[in-house]
Amino acid sequence: MVVGKVKPGSYVPTLRGKTGELDALARLSPLAKDCTTPVIDIPKPPDLSTTETFEKIAEKVTLIRDIWGTAHSLYIDLSRFGSNESADGRPHPVIKTFELARQCRLRAIPVCGTTLTRGPGTEYIDAVSKIAKQDGRGLAVKLVAFEFNSPESTVKELLATAELLNVGPENCDVILDFEAFDRLPADLHMKDRAASTITESIDALESIRPRSVTVSGSSIPERVGKQYDTAPLKTRRLELEIWKDIQGRNRSRNIGFGDYGIVYAFQSDGGAPVQPPCRVRISAEDSHYLYRSPPNTYRNLRSRVRRDGVLRDLPDCWGRRGIIGQGNSFTGAGNATSWVAWDTNLHLEGTARIVRRVMRYSDADETAADELDKWPWLQTELGIVEES
């Protein structure tokens, strides 16, 4: 087995490396963490010098070490950083990030893409190639929808990128990422059409045998308008429907599932400070319920979620308790960061359990999972949550 190999069938959520989403990971239950391999997308600090940027990256990597630990693998992506980021003879930020990850003993795997998404030029790709060679954990190659729209294109793009990276396909974890469905052609919004397209691409990849394959995407829209201040916007979890369809077509495959955190897949960093509306996403198995209310009305948001009963079938976890205000630690209304953390934690906990069920983990896996689920990770003495 290659060091750092992702467990087949892992849940691979893409999360921004910001405080709220990292807090959500820090409070993940052992059961959910056991089958989760997150992609941490490092934010790009705006308008900073190279030295200041490296200092921010160092703080972020240390925080990731503290919240995720060194026993489980994770992916680290710097998709917000361009190819031409080196200055004054300093290394590319992705090189610096993995130097720090190595010092922190993180089991970190770099994420790359094609020259179309990580260019212009090959500086980013060259940096990831050096990291993969030094760490020996392989790497992940993310292909976006227009790159895997046919079997021929999928194989061509992966082989071309692997050649540039100087690695064999057998050391590549492939992430086939629809990204935001609201930017894709209408035919890919149809589950059967999208599942057929991506199944053909997965069939073609079997000839070159990549280390793992994950199907990812996001049904979170770019905006949820004020008209939803009184009733939530309900959207299909299309990415989950497609993945389930793929798994149903061939149960012998171990295809990972990926999705995104609370933010829109193409949300940019920086910009002028704004006062955001209060919002929360509740992810049931078939739908997302997207709640929002005017700024500084989190108590109203909490009351609406509790009244609607959308949490009824979701797992008991740190995020769920924060959203409903259960326990002495959650008596306050919270703020934007805490609601992102609660939202993301509940989403991860629920989705990890769906992945385990759909993948039909073995009896041995489920026996171990039962023991993990009994571990008293929510007890007061652990300092995670205070019971009422």
Side-chain angles (χ1 to χ4, degrees), residues 43-208:
K44 182 179 179 180
D47 303 323
L48 295 183
S49 68
T50 302
T51 298
E52 291 170 327
T53 296
F54 284 178
E55 289 173 353
K56 290 291 185 182
I57 289 174
E59 293 172 5
K60 195 67 65 176
V61 171
T62 301
L63 179 59
I64 292 170
R65 188 270 318 274
D66 292 343
I67 64 100
W68 189 249
T70 58
H72 294 78
S73 297
L74 77 159
Y75 298 107
I76 294 181
D77 196 359
L78 278 81
S79 69
R80 312 283 161 164
F81 292 79
S83 184
N84 302 314
E85 296 281 351
S86 301
D88 305 323
R90 309 288 289 276
H92 190 281
V94 72
I95 291 283
K96 187 63 177 179
T97 299
F98 276 83
E99 285 178 359
L100 295 162
R102 215 168 286 125
Q103 293 170 16
C104 289
R105 303 190 178 211
L106 284 170
R107 294 185 64 189
I109 301 167
V111 179
C112 195
T114 66
T115 52
L116 286 174
T117 59
R118 300 302 167 108
T122 62
E123 188 177 354
Y124 188 102
I125 292 174
D126 292 343
V128 170
S129 176
K130 292 176 183 177
I131 293 162
K133 182 177 180 180
Q134 183 167 358
D135 291 348
R137 295 194 179 99
L139 49 84
V141 175
K142 181 179 285 190
L143 302 180
V144 297
F146 69 87
E147 295 171 329
F148 61 81
N149 59 7
S150 72
E152 296 78 14
S153 175
T154 306
V155 172
K156 176 184 175 182
E157 294 293 349
L158 178 58
L159 288 177
T161 304
E163 183 176 4
L164 286 173
L165 289 162
N166 198 27
V167 298
E170 69 278 5
N171 290 317
C172 295
D173 299 317
V174 180
I175 301 175
L176 303 177
D177 192 0
F178 286 104
E179 298 181 304
F181 280 102
D182 67 0
R183 290 198 180 185
L184 295 180
D187 64 327
L188 289 179
H189 291 215
M190 295 184 288
K191 181 190 70 174
D192 292 343
R193 173 76 178 93
S196 294
T197 296
I198 206 163
T199 297
E200 291 171 359
S201 292
I202 292 171
D203 289 342
L205 286 174
E206 288 188 352
S207 64
I208 56 176

Side-chain angles (χ1 to χ4, degrees), residues 16 18 43-47 80 267-274:
R16 301 298 300 282
K18 293 190 173 183
K44 182 179 179 180
D47 303 323
R80 312 283 161 164
Q267 181 170 317
S268 59
D269 289 325
V274 296

